[in-house]
Amino acid sequence: MTMTNEKMEIHMADISGSVFKDVRAEELQFDNVSLAKTQINNANMSGIAINDVNGAKSNITNANLSQITIQHANLSHAVIDHVHLFGTEFSHVVLPQECDGNYNPEGNYKPISFQQCDLTKTQFNQCNLSNVELTDCDIRGLKINGVLIEELLRK
């Protein structure tokens, strides 16, 4: 799918397995949508809203997702790699934990990972971040439940 400067809204749909490649979308809204196993590559989707979305097993690489809001979403087993998430807000987002249905003690469990991502001024509210992997990420100004990461790391 290729779009340029188009407004798009998707409500109550299953578009699992979709591929968004080289997409530019600044007015994009996903509400109650299944994006499971979706790929978002080389995309500029800043300022979008993602509400009540299943993004399990999604793969997001080389994308600009700055200033977006992700609420009530399932991101279990998602991989977020080389993504600019400056100012993004995650609220009530499922990030897989040992106590949820995404955990498999036989080894199929994979926590969400952020690799080489810009998480500057990103906010995680009402999200359990235990087992979340951050590798080579910029976390300046990152807030978890309203507390700066710098203050949490000092404790």
Side-chain angles (χ1 to χ4, degrees), residues 37-52:
K37 300 180 184 175
T38 294
Q39 294 181 34
I40 300 175
N41 305 98
N42 301 320
N44 181 0
M45 301 171 86
S46 61
I48 67 174
I50 300 173
N51 303 303
D52 298 313

Side-chain angles (χ1 to χ4, degrees), residues 61-111:
T61 58
N62 298 320
N64 176 9
L65 301 179
S66 60
Q67 302 295 329
I68 69 172
T69 301
I70 300 173
Q71 298 182 78
H72 303 283
N74 178 357
L75 294 178
S76 63
H77 304 272
V79 175
I80 302 174
D81 188 8
H82 290 85
V83 176
H84 183 80
L85 290 162
F86 180 89
T88 294
E89 181 180 344
F90 292 82
S91 181
H92 300 278
V93 174
V94 173
L95 304 168
Q97 308 301 319
E98 289 188 46
C99 60
D100 71 21
N102 301 306
Y103 181 78
N104 184 329
E106 284 78 43
N108 294 331
Y109 167 71
K110 182 179 177 187

